[in-house]
Amino acid sequence: MMLISGASAGLLSLGAIYIPSSFQNLAVPVQGALIVGHGLSGAILSGLLGKLLSDKLADTGVLSAYPVVDDVGLEA
């Protein structure tokens, strides 16, 4: 779920800067690379790194007061 939301955020950010940055004037393969690049970077930076960070925080016990730990099955 976090990968999908990260990729969506990356694509939405591209949509926000597409017209002001004149990306529509670029060649079609370059536009495709922009779309793929923004989707992948959003998925990796927001989704994957966020998931890894939250898992590491849960392992330390810092998140034991939050219900997200109960969903994962971790106990402090």
Side-chain angles (χ1 to χ4, degrees):
M1 183 59 88
M2 292 180 77
L3 290 173
I4 293 170
S5 64
S8 298
L11 293 174
L12 286 173
S13 71
L14 175 63
I17 64 170
Y18 189 80
I19 299 294
S21 298
S22 299
F23 288 154
Q24 70 273 15
N25 296 330
L26 297 173
V28 173
V30 176
Q31 291 181 29
L34 280 170
I35 293 169
V36 171
H38 272 79
L40 284 176
S41 67
I44 291 170
L45 292 175
S46 298
L48 185 61
L49 291 180
K51 172 75 170 126
L52 293 175
L53 179 62
S54 63
D55 286 346
K56 294 297 181 186
L57 282 173
D59 289 343
T60 64
V62 174
L63 303 176
S64 62
Y66 295 97
V68 69
V69 177
D70 296 334
D71 293 342
V72 177
L74 299 174
E75 296 176 6

